[in-house]
Amino acid sequence: MKKMDATYLTELNRYFRARVAEVTDQAQGLTGEELTAFLTKANQETVAYCRQESEKLWGQLFKEAIKLSKLTFNMDKNL
């Protein structure tokens, strides 16, 4: 599970660095309300991506955690 955590953090850090550069480049020349609207939209896109990636990780961690449960059993093929 630690590997999933490390991979998740590494990928998000890579994404954040690239995203800051991308948004900064695209925002050149914008001012006032136009800049505010652009940055708001960019922020919402960034949050949506982070949420999507976080939910993927939560799902993987949940599946791994279930395997550790003492209530886990193998179903007999005759049932």
Side-chain angles (χ1 to χ4, degrees), residues 33-74:
E33 289 182 22
E34 189 178 38
L35 177 60
T36 301
F38 172 77
L39 292 176
T40 299
K41 183 176 183 243
N43 184 56
Q44 290 169 345
E45 291 168 357
T46 302
V47 169
Y49 177 82
C50 293
R51 181 179 177 144
Q52 175 186 350
E53 293 303 306
S54 295
E55 288 177 357
K56 280 187 209 174
L57 176 65
W58 296 337
Q60 292 170 341
L61 292 174
F62 186 72
K63 288 175 189 175
E64 291 299 315
I66 288 173
K67 293 177 186 177
L68 300 174
S69 171
K70 291 183 181 186
L71 298 175
T72 302
F73 62 94
N74 292 323

